[in-house]
Amino acid sequence: MSLGSLSIDNLLPAFGPIQADFGISDPNDLQLLVTAYMVPFAIMQAVYGPVSDVIGRRPTLMIGLAVYLLGGLVATLAGSFSMLLIGRAIQGAGLAATRVLTVAIIRDRFAGREMARVMSITMMVFITVPIVAPASGSLLLLLGTWHLIFGTIVGVAVLVGGWFYVRMPETLHPEYRQSFSFSQIASAIQTTASTRVSIGYATGIGLMMGCLMSYIGSAQQIFETEVYHLGAYFPLVFGCIATFMGAASFTNATLVQRLGMRRLSHIGICGFTLVAAVQLFIALLYDGRPPLLLYAGVFAVNQFLFSLTVPNFNSIAMAPLGSIAGTASSFIGSYTTLLGALWGLVIGRSFNGTVIPLSAGYLGLGAACLGIVLWTEKGRLSLRAQSQEGTGEQALPVAAE
């Protein structure tokens, strides 16, 4: 999963050089480098999950990595902005396998609060990449052009693929392996979409991901060029905010078995919406250009709450779906990523030289997410201690190779 974060955040410092190389007049068009990646990333998740239920997790992931490498080579050699966007789309289509299969593999092995704990650890690793990715991208720009960034990512993907091939056993339980059947896939998708807790929390994830995508799409413009003019210090601020997200994942992994997935995530989404209101108030108070330390501090708190919420939402959504984990993860991943990418594009393209659109987007999506959670839980939030969550399903031992 960290390859996905690296594929986006490592590129942010290169927006300026890419704009100069291809003569792009509207800086907002550079956000297409994120959108072109995210839309195929969302759509192809609907493919990899069912395939992994048929042929297994390992071969499916290797196929996805091969597609990703092809996209990386196209992007590295791109001679036009259009070709670069095509390379980004191929990259997203390939790396969609990692999003689906990471969740499916975890669900193969774990259930309930233990799954939430492992998901938090996974997210903590995933979030450590944004801490260093922009800085590494800036370093690579000192050593060469933006083409070097894509070439380096290709090299990292080769190493990850080799490590996975050697070290990772097959986790698909033999009794859950399916023959390829459109009717079985449709039935699994129908089960996922009609399970109130799964579709409700999946929608919540999608809305929260919209916040993250809007931030990633406009972060370079906000911090580096148009609002705070940090220049070379942009990776430092971006990394500091990401540190809060990593700390939240560690906190969640530590507390989730004692406090429960619902309690932590419900506290997280309530806090997120409240802090987003403060964030927007501050933005309006200073006409969209609040002091850097004030705004970044409030924003970092909200990113902490984001990371306290989303991994638990994912675990709650997947909890009833162990027997169809691959297809369920595929549907949920595709749905949430597409929803997040589209909202991220809408909010990101609204950037007007201030932090007001981003702040308003955070509040609107946070409030909508809270409303969805209330609908899912029939008006009840779990803000107090509760009994162990779960559906009674237990994960089985990992299958032998």
Side-chain angles (χ1 to χ4, degrees):
M1 283 181 70
S2 294
L3 272 177
S5 182
L6 183 65
S7 298
I8 296 174
D9 301 328
N10 207 32
L11 189 61
L12 296 181
F15 276 18
I18 291 173
Q19 181 181 6
D21 275 6
F22 297 129
I24 300 169
S25 58
D26 185 356
N28 282 350
D29 287 344
L30 293 168
Q31 296 182 24
L32 294 174
L33 291 169
V34 177
T35 305
Y37 173 90
M38 292 302 301
V39 172
F41 181 83
I43 294 171
M44 285 302 295
Q45 289 180 57
V47 176
Y48 290 116
V51 170
S52 76
D53 282 340
V54 175
I55 68 175
R57 315 300 191 210
R58 292 178 80 245
T60 305
L61 184 65
M62 298 309 297
I63 291 171
L65 286 175
V67 175
Y68 175 76
L69 289 173
L70 174 62
L73 291 173
V74 172
T76 302
L77 302 174
S80 68
F81 190 60
S82 297
M83 186 57 65
L84 180 57
L85 292 179
I86 291 172
R88 293 289 287 165
I90 297 172
Q91 281 187 307
L95 212 61
T98 64
R99 165 63 177 84
V100 171
L101 294 174
T102 297
V103 177
I105 289 169
I106 292 173
R107 185 59 187 89
D108 287 341
R109 300 290 309 276
F110 305 100
R113 295 185 183 183
E114 183 65 11
M115 179 183 175
R117 186 186 70 84
V118 176
M119 277 300 303
S120 292
I121 294 173
T122 303
M123 286 297 294
M124 184 168 59
V125 175
F126 170 73
I127 290 167
T128 57
V129 173
I131 297 175
V132 299
S136 66
S138 296
L139 177 61
L140 290 171
L141 286 175
L142 292 176
L143 299 176
T145 68
W146 56 265
H147 299 272
L148 181 60
I149 294 177
F150 285 104
T152 301
I153 293 175
V154 168
V156 172
V158 170
L159 292 176
V160 170
W163 178 89
F164 187 91
Y165 183 81
V166 172
R167 299 286 298 174
M168 189 67 194
E170 179 59 63
T171 64
L172 176 62
H173 310 315
E175 59 269 42
Y176 290 165
R177 190 180 292 269
Q178 301 176 10
S179 57
F180 185 81
S181 167
F182 284 112
S183 62
Q184 285 184 344
I185 295 172
S187 176
I189 292 174
Q190 182 180 11
T191 298
T192 305
S194 60
T195 301
R196 185 185 185 102
V197 68
S198 297
I199 194 63
Y201 279 97
T203 302
I205 295 169
L207 294 171
M208 295 294 281
M209 289 302 295
C211 295
L212 183 63
M213 289 298 100
S214 64
Y215 165 55
I216 290 175
S218 55
Q220 185 264 348
Q221 291 167 277
I222 289 174
F223 291 116
E224 184 176 354
T225 59
E226 297 190 39
V227 179
Y228 293 112
H229 305 285
L230 294 178
Y233 292 101
F234 159 60
L236 178 62
V237 174
F238 192 87
C240 287
I241 292 174
T243 301
F244 278 76
M245 299 177 71
S249 296
F250 177 79
T251 301
N252 190 67
T254 303
L255 296 180
V256 68
Q257 288 187 306
R258 180 159 59 91
L259 300 181
M261 297 179 288
R262 279 179 168 82
R263 188 182 182 192
L264 277 175
S265 62
H266 292 179
I267 290 172
I269 187 56
C270 288
F272 181 93
T273 306
L274 179 62
V275 174
V278 174
Q279 186 177 323
L280 179 58
F281 174 77
I282 291 172
L284 293 171
L285 183 64
Y286 289 92
D287 295 324
R289 296 173 179 268
L292 173 61
L293 290 180
L294 175 62
Y295 188 77
V298 173
F299 192 81
V301 170
N302 234 7
Q303 294 304 97
F304 181 96
L305 293 167
F306 172 96
S307 296
L308 204 64
T309 302
V310 172
N312 290 313
F313 276 11
N314 207 13
S315 298
I316 296 169
M318 286 293 296
L321 306 172
S323 62
I324 52 171
T327 302
S329 174
S330 179
F331 173 79
I332 290 174
S334 181
Y335 172 58
T336 59
T337 307
L338 187 59
L339 188 59
L342 293 177
W343 275 114
L345 179 63
V346 169
I347 297 170
R349 297 283 292 184
S350 300
F351 178 74
N352 61 358
T354 75
V355 298
I356 291 175
L358 179 65
S359 304
Y362 263 57
L363 177 58
L365 293 181
C369 180
L370 180 57
I372 289 293
V373 171
L374 285 168
W375 171 81
T376 304
E377 298 291 350
K378 300 180 180 179
R380 298 186 299 271
L381 292 179
S382 301
L383 301 179
R384 298 180 179 180
Q386 58 186 303
S387 59
Q388 188 90 349
E389 295 112 333
T391 61
E393 292 187 80
Q394 298 296 322
L396 301 176
V398 63
E401 289 187 274

